[in-house]
Amino acid sequence: MNLYLPDASDPRMTGVKPLPERLRPVSRPRRLRATPAIRRMVAETRVAPAQLMLPVFVKEGISSPVEIASLPGQFQHSTESIKELATQAAEAGIGGLDLFGIPEHKDEIGSQAWDPKGILNAGISAVREAVGDDLVVCADTCLDEFTDHGHCGALTPDGRVDNDSTLPLYAAMAVSQARAGAHMVSPSGMMDGQIAVIRDALDGEGFTDVSIMAYSAKYASAFFGPFRDAVDCSLKGDRKAYQQDPSNRREGMREALLDLAEGADVVMVKPASHYLDVLADVATVSQVPVAAYQVSGEYAMLEAAAANGWIDRHRCISESLTSIVRAGADLVLTYWAIEAAQMFRKDF
């Protein structure tokens, strides 16, 4: 590359006047961008590997990992292969795993969800066997993977999700997950009052140390599409009657405040990248850690663009996660958790 500094003798500079001394910059922010070392030293936002949590899928009836077509590089795992993944995650130094179960058999109330021998509880036990307390073992506490209709709760005769009939099912599921070894449960169904009911159930069974990560501001997002492939979801229709309207910002704050009042140990905004305003709002008021879920659609879009050579994959992964933390997230659930931990480790 030929370097070129303007020179008054260059004929191409005809008509270009020298910069007057009075207009020379006094403030020069570029000084702190001059070298990679300076930029690292003064970075306002740093993403630590321990802030990252990996969503993982454990499936009944398989003996080896099955790649998820719409989530390239992500897999449905057996109870054996998920042990290997958990060990990799612990070695990478990430914070934890969030487990989702995929059963062979579903019914109208999702009864496999609280079966002690059900696939999700088996997965929890397998991960605890592999890594003990080296990772936070979190479990998704929702029924959509377990119901034959794909909704997050019990249905009324006319097909609506019945809030109050669903809450005892969540309580049973959370207790079964705690018995299987979960350090944390994560109710994601957006039922009113779910945190209070789960906290009461856990405490009543002696699981006072099991924490709750509440999916507090969870929006009825189109970006969940690949996830439904990942969990073999049976849903027909949508969840707009209980997940939030993407146009509502204040409502996200209201939901988070309700969950805090009911005893949530962590509150979450989901999705992350397209809801940074909501995330920032929640972070300003929360007295507990705030999580954000970089969902399947966010992951799939960047992977697809990178596969086509349209973007710099590593830089976009780093930038996307940094923006989420910059907006206020203390924890980020991301499918890049293990890879990103290696990328960010140099900053610590």
Side-chain angles (χ1 to χ4, degrees):
M1 180 178 67
N2 294 323
L3 298 178
Y4 175 73
L5 291 175
D7 187 314
S9 65
D10 189 322
R12 292 173 297 179
M13 294 293 289
T14 300
V16 178
K17 297 180 179 180
L19 181 68
E21 188 67 32
R22 62 185 173 81
L23 294 181
R24 290 189 180 277
V26 175
S27 297
R28 294 185 180 270
R30 285 183 54 185
R31 290 173 185 144
L32 297 182
R33 305 175 199 147
T35 69
I38 290 176
R39 293 193 293 272
R40 283 196 302 271
M41 184 176 70
V42 302
E44 297 177 28
T45 302
R46 303 176 192 274
V47 182
Q51 289 178 272
L52 305 177
M53 204 168 201
L54 178 67
V56 295
F57 308 98
V58 58
K59 183 173 182 176
E60 191 173 13
I62 61 173
S63 57
S64 59
V66 176
E67 188 166 17
I68 302 161
S70 56
L71 285 174
Q74 303 301 311
F75 297 83
Q76 297 171 329
H77 285 275
S78 68
T79 51
E80 284 303 311
S81 69
I82 204 168
K83 293 180 184 179
E84 299 172 18
L85 181 65
T87 300
Q88 293 173 16
E91 291 172 349
I94 72 169
L97 304 181
D98 192 13
L99 278 74
F100 298 83
I102 309 165
E104 285 190 294
H105 304 290
K106 305 180 182 184
D107 60 29
E108 72 279 7
I109 59 170
S111 60
Q112 286 293 303
W114 56 87
D115 185 335
K117 297 180 180 179
I119 184 59
L120 181 50
N121 289 327
I124 294 166
S125 297
V127 170
R128 283 299 303 271
E129 180 183 333
V131 298
D133 294 330
D134 290 344
L135 289 173
V136 175
V137 180
C138 180
D140 182 60
T141 312
C142 192
L143 298 174
D144 54 321
E145 298 104 80
F146 298 90
T147 55
D148 54 14
H149 46 74
H151 277 291
C152 297
L155 299 184
T156 62
D158 62 356
R160 293 177 295 107
V161 174
D162 188 298
N163 192 95
D164 293 6
S165 296
T166 298
L167 294 178
L169 309 184
Y170 286 2
M173 188 178 186
V175 169
S176 73
Q177 292 169 341
R179 288 192 177 121
H183 299 104
M184 177 181 286
V185 299
S186 53
S188 60
M190 292 299 289
M191 297 297 115
D192 295 340
Q194 62 185 14
I195 304 305
V197 168
I198 289 172
R199 183 74 272 161
D200 182 72
L202 290 170
D203 290 355
E205 294 295 327
F207 295 112
T208 55
D209 289 338
V210 172
S211 55
I212 300 175
M213 178 168 64
Y215 285 58
S216 299
K218 181 178 179 181
Y219 287 82
S221 173
F223 291 99
F224 298 157
F227 175 88
R228 293 177 185 172
D229 293 339
V231 297
D232 298 344
C233 184
S234 306
L235 181 69
K236 300 292 188 293
D238 59 55
R239 300 188 176 118
K240 294 179 180 179
Y242 44 102
Q243 293 178 356
Q244 289 177 243
D245 185 333
S247 66
N248 291 354
R249 178 174 178 172
R250 289 193 302 270
E251 187 181 31
M253 176 78 81
R254 181 187 185 199
E255 289 279 9
L257 290 172
L258 286 168
D259 285 350
L260 288 167
E262 291 178 19
D265 300 288
V266 180
V267 290
M268 183 198 292
V269 175
K270 179 182 180 182
S273 298
H274 291 75
Y275 295 84
L276 296 180
D277 55 339
V278 179
L279 174 58
D281 289 346
V282 172
T284 61
V285 299
S286 179
Q287 295 180 329
V288 304
V290 178
Y293 195 146
Q294 187 181 50
V295 299
S296 59
E298 297 173 64
Y299 173 93
M301 286 192 302
L302 285 184
E303 288 289 352
N308 278 283
W310 297 335
I311 60 172
D312 182 320
R313 181 177 177 275
H314 278 202
R315 285 184 64 192
C316 286
I317 292 171
S318 176
E319 187 175 336
S320 67
L321 290 168
T322 300
S323 72
I324 294 166
V325 174
R326 188 185 68 231
D330 302 293
L331 312 171
V332 184
L333 284 79
T334 175
Y335 297 97
W336 285 304
I338 292 175
E339 180 180 359
Q342 298 163 348
M343 293 165 54
F344 288 120
R345 187 172 288 115
K346 68 179 185 302
D347 293 331
F348 287 85

